[in-house]
Amino acid sequence: MAALAPLSTYALRLGDDALILGQRLSEWCGHAPTIEVDLSLANLALDLIGQATHFLGVAGDADKLAFHRDALDFSNCLLVEQPNGDFAQTMARQFLFSTFQELHLHALASSKDERFAAIAAKAVKEVAYHRQLSSDWVVRLGDGTEESRARMTAGLDWMWRFVDELFQMDELEAKLAKGGAGVDKSELRAEWDRRVDAVLAEATLARPASRRPVLGGRRGHHTEHLGPLLSQMQFLQRAYPGAVW
Amino acid sequence: MYTTDLSGKDRKKPAPSAAEDPALLAAFEARVANDEFIEPKDWMPEAYRRTLVRQISQHAHSEIVGMLPEGNWITRAPSLRRKAILLAKVQDEGGHGLYLYSAAETLGASREEMIEALHSGKAKYSTIFNYPTLTWADIGAIGWLVDGAAIMNQVPLQRTSYGPYARAMVRVCKEESFHQRQGYELTMALCAGSKEQKRMAQDALNRWWWPSLMMFGPPDDKSPNTEQSIRWRIKRETNDELRQRFVDVTVPQAEAIGLAVPDPALKWNEDCGHYDFGKIDWEEFYAVVRGEGQVAKERMQARVTAWEDGAWVRNAATTYSVKRAAAKVAAE
């Protein structure tokens, strides 16, 4: 893929995070533990697909970007591509990501770039609900039965190694943040820690131990889980090149 | 989405119970004949209640099972717009299931009981969902034909005699008519596309046409409950009347986008102002009702697995709320 302008690269990262998580959540449709949960997961997926459409639209042709890139050109964080696992693992991923995404979008709503500010201002309201919903489930499962507690602990343990990447800055994003268009994500970490710890305390869960972070998503170096997701998502566009749907 | 009225031949015709007060029954019949709504707290004959629980819960099950064939394509939808439309649509079906279960609960059936009956095979759901979704064009065909047939069935149900069911249908119909247009628009896009896309659309119509006609249920002379249901205004039109209306509306829609309805006997009948159409394979219909549809096993397995895999989540939620309630009492 040809090199993009810095703002487009930033939009691509934001769009890819939303797209890949939306795609993952939509795998639950029809299979959730209750009808109510099924509807709420579909809601989250819909919000995220909408956000992806907007952010990718800033970077270029949204559909082309979603359906015609290979893994090396995807720049989502590794957390969002992690498999759904059981419902606890899905909620662990959602809770960690939505808590971050809400802080990120809240800051981005003051971007000097009007497009980013407008998308973020709308999306942050949606994500506040995602954060609330997933936090509630972390508490319910953590402080529920012995089994749900064990599953919630395992879910957080699976996801925890991908947390540091959320706050990682590179030269490109640092420049955008300095210029007022982007956000310095490293500054969000303290508040994220505070919010996550508060929910974990209510859930009577211990914070997973720090460990060496797994990084690479922003540079196109993904986990093994992204490839199968892309081959499913892109199948029709790949099988019928040039077709309009 | 709508469930076929799957009352089998073996089912006993509902008859007023001997214990029921003739005066109450007469008053009930008069209210129904006068097009009044029956509400949950009103007296009603036991057979009326049973018929409604069966019909509404079948309808709810159909909505929930119906999420599976379409959900099958959400992760493979070919554009972001199509993905969002399909997600929203399948979510609507889940919502319909939810308020139909609630409507049935007003008649004294619990959601757990109803779901148990579905999983044990005791309760039926619409036969249409035991057909597979093989290509993207099937998503168009389901919206256009299956939801189209559902609307034909459901519009009269907005005036069905049981209030909560009728009111649920008002909302369901609005959403279904949106789905029908989306399905037709998807099919239109395929027909305006490449040769391969058009082939896909035609193939989907070929596979879904006859099962859609079967959605209206057995022919009137083989539909044992129709007469009583019409008298009680649970049903307002017969299966054959609704099926004919569907054919009359749908054939010109197919022609408009260059698709051929797979029925050599299909012909406009000038004299009666309707289409004549070929014989429906009722053997196939009854086989699918018996659970012999191609993906009947997959559909039930998916539902049962979701329910069993989710048991620990539901337990945890209950345990947590009991704990919280106890903690609140202790604090007071």
Side-chain angles (χ1 to χ4, degrees), chain B residues 144-158:
Chain B
W144 171 31
L145 304 172
V146 175
D147 290 322
I151 294 164
M152 295 285 165
N153 267 324
Q154 286 168 349
V155 163
L157 286 177
Q158 295 178 95

Side-chain angles (χ1 to χ4, degrees), chain B residues 254-306:
Chain B
E255 285 169 354
I257 51 177
L259 293 176
V261 173
D263 178 0
L266 187 79
K267 210 178 147 213
W268 177 250
N269 184 330
E270 209 49 80
D271 298 335
C272 65
H274 294 292
Y275 281 96
D276 293 333
F277 54 96
K279 221 167 143 312
I280 292 172
D281 181 358
W282 293 111
E283 271 307 301
E284 176 178 320
F285 173 75
Y286 287 113
V288 180
V289 170
R290 284 195 305 270
E292 295 168 25
Q294 199 218 76
V295 290
K297 287 200 187 302
E298 283 87 342
R299 298 289 182 253
M300 244 343 83
Q301 186 186 51
R303 282 316 313 155
V304 171
T305 302

